[in-house]
């Protein structure tokens, strides 16, 4: 016996049944985004319940997109994946904590401000309260550095604030149009006061525990942006160069090396060869003098020297590449820097260059860029005969800052670091931290699982701690001051830290306790740290910032550790790893239980879409052209971790699905007649095929639920969509005549149709929220997005043990009967005078169960007989006789 109506009328399905079904005269997708977006905001449909206990909360560490221009279709792709899961969990009864952040500090914002307003920051200039930028809204093209008006740091930061606020408003409008079920009361900025307080407090706690430290050390430096660069921000690119053969002079004769960086010859501190290289073993322990500069240099052995590369012996300069840094550290070599932070050769002749010709050669290079200095030195070496032959062109992989245009240099400077296990080769606690982070990765559930290896490879390949200081302007200030000795020298080891209650602070403006502004920079006074934190140093705390750590402990206890971190695969090494580091240093645990990793969007040439490549597509026009549901369908059709091609055809398929949801639902819900409520009484479902459609739907519910639980939203969509089309093409067509009739079984068909629609709306709601909400409103109050996710048990009870394959076989028969009419090029309403179906023995009883519906649906006027098929394949038409087609009516004049 089927269960009563209560299972399908329950108020927790997002609202009570209306007294009558109220369908529009014509269903349409146009305008749904603005209408329902406004309604969801007014009703607080997606508001987080602050009273929910942790076990009843599903919390999402939403990626804060970089606010530096416009969103592209890749954002729509990955954020839709997250939204489908948020909507599913909300329907499962969870209070979903789904905030939105804006990653608005750092270099991308500064570059956009420079080009948008035509300015650049010069910290030496005074603040101008009446400053008006020369431009207000560029065309996206870069304004040359020479044409940018220099302004004070404070003026520059004010413009950064202004532009990010404008960009954030546009981003939010687009996210709302897409239908992200974000709770917009839970949002933050990575440059905002709350984020600054948490980032600064986190840093000070790292400092107190010895996890943050400063060091004067060689590091990667971008000469264009004048800032240090971390290992995670590197991008290897091919760069043209040339090998130059240089002769170093020893007692036993010349030693020839090959180098692509001859301009670093004055910074040479040794020649290095492999300890097993017999060509040079006799030279180990001896010295040579450098060409032109005549500096005496040792010849040393190190296993990192490459026997097969070039001449097999190399000059170690401070510094040409990261190998030089390794040799310098491990062989305890002197520091002889000649390259400044601006990428030019230092003006003052180094003390180690004493020969007359060496001083002259250096002065000819001084102040020049690396390129110009190389040219000048090559000419001198050619004239002296110490460069052998002509330069030999080559191409080499060189490190670039991921946002930069010139190869990185290695410059010695004072920087701040946070320990991340990268220095395990020199520190025992580094080894332990690395092992802990590997173990933590094993505890984190990656979706898909194969993304886990990228995390392990990154942690295993680290060779330095995390450089977090940046020599930029718009970011979270490092919250420290330094005492100035009576001699006027800054003592960087004498650090002054603020009380946590004072945070956030800006040391360039604020004064430490016990001092006055008049003491800034004076002997016995203080100076403020002028560096800011790397943007990842703030974003790495996104779960803590969004969750209210140190600012809202009640909220924090309800949402942390979070359930999922959704993000792109390309920032596993930066955002995911840095977040793991901060959480383990502070809390000793993972910041989330799951990591959902999206793939990339590829252009038609199968290349990754990115702003830097100029092949991105902005989404607003797509959303307006196809509709948000259609674009979401395209995005949701791609699995986590898998790359997807940008495909408008797939969007058209999504629009067709959304439109079919409207029309099929209107058709099904209208069969009770005008003014009638939706028929959702499970006890009214009595006919075998009506029960069969619900039995099949129960299987779909179970499989779709399991797919969502496994973070496979695409499989959940495939299952729901496929059965929905079966429902429309087979079941609805099969029973519509009965449902409209006065037959005693008509109510059974109407109830099954309405129950199925009620379930399909909830299965499809995470993917096409606008169309499903529209239909829901025709017969229910409330929102489908607050409805309960469908369960299979009520459906199975309503199906009363029916055989789900009845619908499959009925669909095969209906398809075969339609095909005959199509092949005969007659209307589907043409009647069969008689027809015989070939049916496998196992399916005969299933056809018997739908015999009456087949007669109605196929317009069989005479007999519909069955013959035993000699095969186990689908139902086919064995013989038939069609009525003659009706004559065409003459056209009226």
């Amino acid at each position: 016996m089927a269960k009563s109506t209560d299972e399908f009328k329950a108020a927790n399905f997002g609202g009570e049944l209306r007294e009558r079904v109220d369908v529009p005269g014509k269903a349409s997708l146009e305008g749904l985004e603005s209408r329902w977006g406004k309604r969801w905001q007014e009703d607080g449909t997606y508001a987080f319940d602050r009273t929910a206990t942790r076990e009843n909360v599903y919390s999402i560490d939403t990626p804060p997109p970089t606010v530096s221009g416009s969103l592209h279709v890749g954002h729509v792709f990955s954020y839709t994946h997250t939204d489908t899961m948020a909507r599913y969990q909300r329907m499962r009864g969870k209070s979903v904590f789904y905030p939105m952040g804006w990653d608005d500090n750092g270099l991308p914002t500064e570059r956009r401000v420079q080009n948008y307003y035509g300015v650049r920051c010069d910290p030496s200039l005074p603040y101008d309260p009446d400053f008006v930028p020369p431009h207000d809204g560029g065309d996206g093209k870069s304004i040359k550095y020479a044409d940018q008006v220099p302004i004070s740091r404070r003026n520059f930061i004010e413009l950064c604030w202004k532009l990010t606020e404008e960009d954030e408003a546009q981003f939010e409008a687009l996210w709302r149009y897409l239908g992200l079920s974000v709770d917009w009361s839970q949002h933050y900025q990575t440059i905002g006061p709350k984020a600054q307080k948490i980032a600064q407090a986190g840093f000070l706690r790292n400092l107190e525990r010895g996890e943050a430290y400063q060091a004067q050390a060689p590091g990667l430096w971008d000469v264009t942006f004048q800032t240090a660069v971390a290992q995670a921000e590197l991008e290897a690119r091919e760069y043209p160069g040339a090998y130059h053969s240089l002769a170093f002079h020893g007692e036993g004769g010349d030693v020839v090396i090959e180098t692509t960086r001859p301009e670093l010859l004055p910074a040479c501190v040794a020649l290095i060869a492999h300890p097993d290289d017999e060509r040079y073993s006799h030279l180990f322990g001896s010295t040579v003098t450098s060409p032109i500069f005549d500096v005496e240099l040792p010849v040393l052995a190190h296993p990192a020297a490459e026997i097969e590369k070039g001449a097999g012996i190399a000059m170690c300069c401070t510094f040409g590449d990261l190998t030089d840094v390794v040799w310098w550290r491990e062989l305890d070599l002197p520091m002889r820097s000649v390259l400044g932070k601006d990428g030019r050769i230092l003006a003052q002749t180094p003390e180690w260059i004493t020969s007359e010709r060496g001083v002259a050669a250096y002065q000819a290079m001084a102040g020049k860029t690396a390129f110009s200095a190389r040219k000048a030195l090559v000419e001198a070496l050619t004239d002296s005969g110490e460069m052998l032959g002509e330069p030999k062109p080559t191409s080499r992989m060189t490190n670039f800052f991921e946002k930069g245009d010139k190869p990185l240099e290695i410059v010695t400077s004072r920087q701040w670091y946070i320990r991340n296990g990268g220095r395990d080769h020199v520190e025992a606690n580094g080894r332990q931290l690395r092992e802990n982070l590997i173990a933590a990765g094993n505890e984190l559930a990656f979706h898909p699982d194969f993304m886990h290896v990228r995390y392990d490879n990154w942690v295993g390949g680290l060779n330095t701690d995390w450089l977090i200081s940046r020599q930029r302007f718009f970011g979270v200030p490092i919250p420290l001051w330094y005492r100035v000795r009576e001699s006027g020298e800054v003592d960087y080891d004498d650090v002054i830290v603020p009380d946590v209650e004072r945070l956030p602070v800006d040391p360039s403006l604020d004064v430490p306790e016990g001092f006055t502004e008049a003491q800034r920079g004076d002997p016995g006074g203080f100076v403020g740290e002028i560096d800011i934190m790397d943007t990842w140093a703030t974003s790495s705390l996104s779960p803590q910032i969004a969750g209210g750590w140190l600012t809202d402990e009640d909220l924090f206890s309800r949402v942390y550790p979070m359930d999922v971190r959704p993000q792109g695969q390309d920032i596993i090494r930066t955002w995911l790893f840095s977040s793991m580091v901060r959480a383990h240093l502070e809390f000793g645990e993972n910041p989330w239980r799951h990591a959902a990793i999206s793939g990339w969007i590829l252009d038609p040439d199968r290349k990754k879409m990115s702003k830097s490549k100029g092949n991105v597509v902005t989404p607003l026009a797509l959303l307006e052209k196809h509709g948000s549901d259609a674009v979401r369908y395209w995005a949701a059709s791609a699995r986590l971790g898998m790359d997807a091609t940008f495909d408008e055809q797939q969007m058209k398929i999504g629009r067709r699905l959304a439109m079919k949801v409207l029309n099929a639902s209107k058709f099904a819900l209208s069969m009770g007649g005008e003014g009638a409520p939706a028929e959702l009484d499970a006890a009214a479902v009595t006919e075998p095929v009506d029960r069969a459609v619900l039995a099949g739907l129960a299987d779909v519910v179970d499989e779709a639920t399991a797919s969502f639980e496994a973070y496979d939203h695409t499989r959940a969509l495939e299952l729901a969509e496929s059965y929905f089309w079966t429902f429309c093409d087979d079941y609805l067509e099969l029973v519509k005549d009965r449902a409209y009739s006065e037959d005693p079984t008509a109510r059974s068909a109407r109830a099954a149709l309405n129950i199925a629609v009620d379930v399909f709306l909830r299965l499809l709601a995470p993917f096409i929220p606008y169309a499903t909400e529209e239909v829901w409103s025709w017969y229910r109050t409330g929102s489908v997005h607050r409805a309960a996710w469908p369960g299979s048990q009520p459906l199975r009870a309503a199906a009363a043990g029916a055989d789900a394959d009845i619908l499959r076989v009925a669909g095969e028969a209906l398809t075969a009967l339609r095909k005959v009419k199509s092949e005969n090029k007659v209307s589907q309403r043409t009647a069969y005078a008689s027809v015989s179906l070939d049916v496998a023995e196992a399916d005969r009883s299933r056809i018997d169960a739908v015999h009456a519906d087949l007669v109605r649906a196929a317009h069989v006027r005479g007999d519909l007989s069955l013959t035993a098929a000699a095969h186990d394949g689908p139902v086919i038409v064995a013989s038939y006789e069609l009525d003659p087609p009706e004559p065409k009516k003459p056209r009226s004049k």
Side-chain angles (χ1 to χ4, degrees):
M1 182 71 179
K3 279 199 175 183
S4 73
T5 181
D6 292 345
E7 290 282 1
F8 296 98
K9 287 187 176 180
N12 66 347
F13 279 2
E16 298 282 358
L17 282 176
R18 297 185 183 277
E19 293 182 359
R20 54 175 289 167
V21 174
D22 187 12
V23 298
K26 181 181 179 181
S28 173
L29 295 172
E30 273 63 45
L32 295 186
E33 290 89 352
S34 58
R35 179 150 58 88
W36 285 113
K38 181 180 179 182
R39 178 71 174 273
W40 292 335
Q41 176 67 14
E42 292 172 349
D43 292 351
T45 303
Y46 307 124
F48 174 64
D49 179 5
R50 286 289 301 255
T51 67
T53 55
R54 182 62 189 89
E55 61 270 20
N56 292 316
V57 167
Y58 185 82
S59 51
I60 303 170
D61 184 17
T62 319
T66 301
V67 184
S68 57
S70 61
L71 294 167
H72 61 77
V73 75
H75 292 103
V76 168
F77 177 72
S78 57
Y79 282 76
T80 297
H81 296 170
T82 306
D83 192 59
T84 62
M85 183 58 66
R87 290 178 177 278
Y88 165 74
Q89 290 290 346
R90 193 178 289 112
M91 296 175 76
R92 292 285 284 177
K94 293 294 182 75
S95 179
V96 175
F97 182 69
Y98 189 10
M100 180 61 69
W102 307 117
D103 190 6
D104 40 18
N105 64 17
L107 184 56
T109 298
E110 292 187 23
R111 291 183 71 178
R112 176 157 159 74
V113 166
Q114 287 174 240
N115 291 329
Y116 195 89
Y117 293 115
V119 299
R120 56 183 167 86
C121 182
D122 183 346
S124 67
L125 296 176
Y127 175 65
D128 179 0
D130 300 317
F131 176 74
V132 176
H135 300 279
D136 192 355
D139 57 5
K141 297 180 180 178
S142 177
I143 296 175
K144 292 182 180 179
Y145 182 84
D147 296 330
Q148 294 170 356
V149 175
I151 59 175
S152 74
R153 178 172 185 159
R154 183 176 169 186
N155 284 122
F156 186 76
I157 289 174
E158 285 179 354
L159 291 177
C160 290
W161 272 109
K162 178 183 177 183
L163 192 55
T164 54
E165 287 173 0
E166 293 174 4
D167 286 344
E168 286 162 13
Q170 294 180 19
F171 276 37
E172 180 177 335
L174 191 140
W175 282 149
R176 287 180 181 273
Y177 196 91
L178 179 64
L180 294 192
S181 58
V182 165
D183 179 354
W184 289 101
S185 67
Q186 306 286 345
H187 76 279
Y188 64 90
Q189 300 166 296
T190 56
I191 195 64
K194 182 172 80 168
Q196 288 202 35
K197 175 178 180 176
I198 292 171
Q200 290 185 339
F203 170 80
L204 293 177
R205 291 162 79 107
N206 293 138
L207 180 63
E208 184 179 6
R209 293 191 297 261
E211 298 151 359
Y213 65 93
Q214 60 178 326
Q216 185 82 14
L220 293 162
W221 185 269
D222 189 284
V223 298
T224 302
F225 299 114
Q226 294 286 289
T227 187
V229 176
Q231 184 180 353
E233 297 171 307
L234 301 186
E235 187 176 286
R237 302 179 200 163
E238 205 165 87
Y239 192 73
Y243 278 116
H244 302 75
S245 298
L246 308 184
F248 286 70
H249 314 301
E251 290 186 5
D254 287 349
V255 179
V256 178
I257 65 96
E258 291 186 349
T259 179
T260 59
R261 300 292 305 271
E263 71 276 11
L264 294 181
L265 180 60
C268 187
V269 292
L271 295 189
I272 312 287
H274 195 279
D276 298 334
D277 194 333
E278 295 179 356
R279 294 172 295 176
Y280 304 110
S281 58
H282 67 286
L283 294 175
F284 296 149
S286 68
T287 61
V288 293
T289 57
S290 58
I292 290 289
F293 297 105
D294 303 317
V295 177
E296 188 174 2
L297 305 167
V299 181
L300 304 173
H302 194 281
E306 299 178 71
I307 296 176
E308 304 299 328
K309 184 177 181 180
I313 188 168
M315 63 178 187
C316 174
C317 304
T318 52
F319 295 94
D321 58 24
L322 293 174
T323 303
D324 283 344
V325 178
V326 173
W327 287 338
W328 169 75
R329 281 195 181 123
E330 296 185 7
L331 298 175
D332 195 24
L333 296 170
M335 174 74 74
R336 292 175 179 168
S337 299
V338 298
L339 197 64
K341 292 181 178 180
D342 57 359
R344 294 177 179 270
I345 302 297
L346 298 176
Q348 187 173 350
T349 303
E351 59 183 15
W352 58 87
I353 298 175
T354 56
S355 72
E356 185 176 339
R357 71 171 188 153
V359 171
Y362 187 87
Q363 289 176 347
M365 299 168 60
K368 288 183 167 62
T369 64
F371 177 84
S372 298
R374 182 185 311 149
K375 184 178 179 181
L377 185 57
V378 165
E379 289 176 358
L381 287 165
T382 301
D383 291 344
S384 71
E386 290 167 299
M387 191 177 85
L388 310 181
E390 294 293 320
K392 293 175 286 187
T394 186
S395 185
R396 59 195 173 97
M397 295 305 291
T398 306
N399 284 324
F400 284 75
F401 177 32
E402 59 189 0
K403 296 179 176 63
D405 302 317
K406 294 182 179 179
L408 293 172
E409 298 291 356
I410 298 177
V411 173
T412 300
S413 59
R414 181 185 63 84
Q415 302 289 345
W416 279 96
Y417 299 83
I418 290 179
R419 301 186 190 279
N420 65 1
R423 288 177 57 80
D424 66 337
H425 57 292
V426 294
E427 295 179 356
N429 62 353
R431 286 193 293 275
Q432 185 60 54
L433 180 56
R434 186 189 295 240
E435 290 169 7
N436 290 345
L437 290 168
I438 290 286
N442 293 333
E443 296 171 2
L444 181 62
F446 283 84
H447 305 283
D449 182 66
F450 65 77
M451 287 292 176
H452 185 178
V453 71
R454 301 194 183 193
Y455 172 87
D456 283 350
N457 288 344
W458 176 252
V459 179
L462 285 169
N463 55 37
T464 183
D465 280 333
W466 179 13
L467 171 67
I468 67 157
S469 49
R470 293 292 180 274
Q471 292 66 52
R472 300 301 302 175
F473 314 108
F474 191 56
V476 179
I478 295 177
L480 301 172
W481 299 269
Y482 307 97
R483 294 185 188 275
V484 179
R485 297 188 180 119
E486 292 300 331
S487 63
E489 183 183 1
V490 178
D491 186 352
Y492 288 106
D493 293 326
D494 195 345
V495 177
I496 306 170
V497 300
D499 291 333
V500 174
E501 291 73 21
R502 284 193 65 190
L503 302 178
V505 298
D506 183 348
S508 68
L509 300 175
D510 298 324
V511 176
E513 299 247 348
F515 292 84
T516 65
E517 180 61 35
Q519 293 175 278
R520 188 183 294 272
D522 285 350
F526 70 94
V527 294
E529 175 63 75
I530 60 171
D531 286 355
I532 62 171
M533 295 186 199
D534 165 29
T535 187
W536 295 114
T538 307
S539 295
S540 62
L541 295 169
S542 60
Q544 290 83 5
I545 294 168
W549 180 52
L550 303 180
T551 60
D552 189 339
E553 291 301 325
D554 177 71
L555 175 64
F556 194 61
S557 69
R558 298 176 192 274
V559 303
Y560 189 90
M562 292 193 171
D563 289 277
V564 65
R565 153 65 70 81
Q567 65 163 74
Q569 58 182 308
D570 51 333
I571 50 175
I572 290 174
R573 63 193 173 100
T574 48
W575 192 33
L576 189 145
F577 174 65
S578 62
S579 298
M580 293 282 277
V581 170
R582 300 302 289 277
H584 274 269
L585 293 177
E586 187 62 45
F587 302 103
E589 63 181 352
N590 286 358
W592 351 264
R593 299 178 178 89
H594 300 267
I597 312 297
S598 291
W600 286 328
I601 291 298
L602 308 178
D603 67 14
D605 295 326
R606 303 292 296 172
K607 295 178 181 177
K608 177 195 172 187
M609 279 192 177
S610 67
K611 290 181 181 179
S612 61
K613 293 180 180 179
N615 62 348
V616 299
V617 176
T618 53
L620 184 57
L622 287 172
L623 294 169
E624 292 174 340
K625 177 181 178 182
H626 299 289
S628 294
D629 280 350
V631 176
R632 288 173 62 97
Y633 171 88
W634 159 75
S637 296
R639 281 181 168 81
L640 288 175
M642 306 303 292
D643 297 343
T645 303
F646 173 71
D647 185 4
E648 286 196 67
Q649 188 59 41
Q650 192 76 357
M651 297 175 195
K652 293 177 182 177
I653 295 172
R655 184 175 179 85
R656 178 171 171 253
L657 173 63
M659 200 66 226
K660 191 67 174 180
V661 166
L662 295 182
N663 288 329
S665 299
K666 177 183 176 183
F667 194 53
L669 292 168
S670 300
M671 288 182 174
E674 187 176 348
E679 176 62 85
L680 293 174
D681 188 350
V685 183
T686 56
E687 295 303 294
V689 71
D690 302 333
R691 289 177 169 178
V693 73
L694 300 185
L697 192 52
D699 293 337
V700 170
V701 166
D702 279 341
E703 293 182 54
T705 302
S707 297
F708 260 125
E709 292 295 326
Y711 283 79
D712 189 352
H713 62 265
T714 304
R715 179 59 180 158
L717 173 58
E718 289 171 350
L719 289 161
E721 179 189 13
S722 176
Y723 199 67
F724 175 71
W725 284 113
T726 297
F727 167 79
C728 294
D729 295 342
D730 296 339
Y731 177 73
L732 199 155
E733 290 297 319
L734 187 68
V735 304
K736 66 182 181 182
D737 286 326
R738 171 160 58 94
Y740 272 133
S741 74
E742 299 298 324
D743 191 294
T745 63
R747 189 183 176 209
S748 174
R750 290 197 293 268
L753 285 166
N754 286 191
I755 288 171
V757 165
D758 201 62
V759 172
F760 277 123
L761 292 179
R762 287 176 277 145
L763 286 174
L764 293 170
F767 310 104
I768 50 173
Y770 289 108
T772 51
E773 186 76 302
E774 173 70 5
V775 174
W776 192 260
S777 72
W778 297 345
Y779 71 103
R780 283 193 184 274
T781 61
S783 171
V784 67
H785 305 299
R786 282 293 187 180
W789 180 254
S792 63
Q793 285 311 111
L795 289 167
R796 295 197 190 283
D803 179 5
D805 274 340
I806 291 176
L807 182 60
R808 172 185 61 79
V809 176
E812 291 174 4
L814 197 57
T815 299
L817 291 164
R818 289 171 180 160
K819 182 180 178 183
V820 167
K821 295 180 184 179
S822 296
E823 289 175 345
N824 283 275
K825 298 181 180 179
V826 298
S827 165
Q828 289 296 329
R829 299 200 66 82
T830 300
Y832 278 100
S834 64
V835 63
S836 178
L837 299 177
D838 245 5
V839 182
E841 185 60 34
D843 290 337
R844 189 179 183 95
S845 62
R846 294 170 177 141
I847 289 290
D848 288 339
V850 296
H851 189 280
D853 284 325
L854 279 175
V855 167
R856 287 192 187 95
H859 304 286
V860 181
R861 180 171 54 79
D863 291 337
L864 188 157
S865 59
L866 307 181
T867 59
H871 58 82
D872 292 327
V875 177
I876 60 174
V877 175
S879 62
Y880 66 91
E881 181 183 351
L882 288 169
D883 282 349
E886 295 180 4
K888 293 183 179 179
K889 294 180 180 179
R891 292 181 181 176
S892 58
K893 293 183 179 180

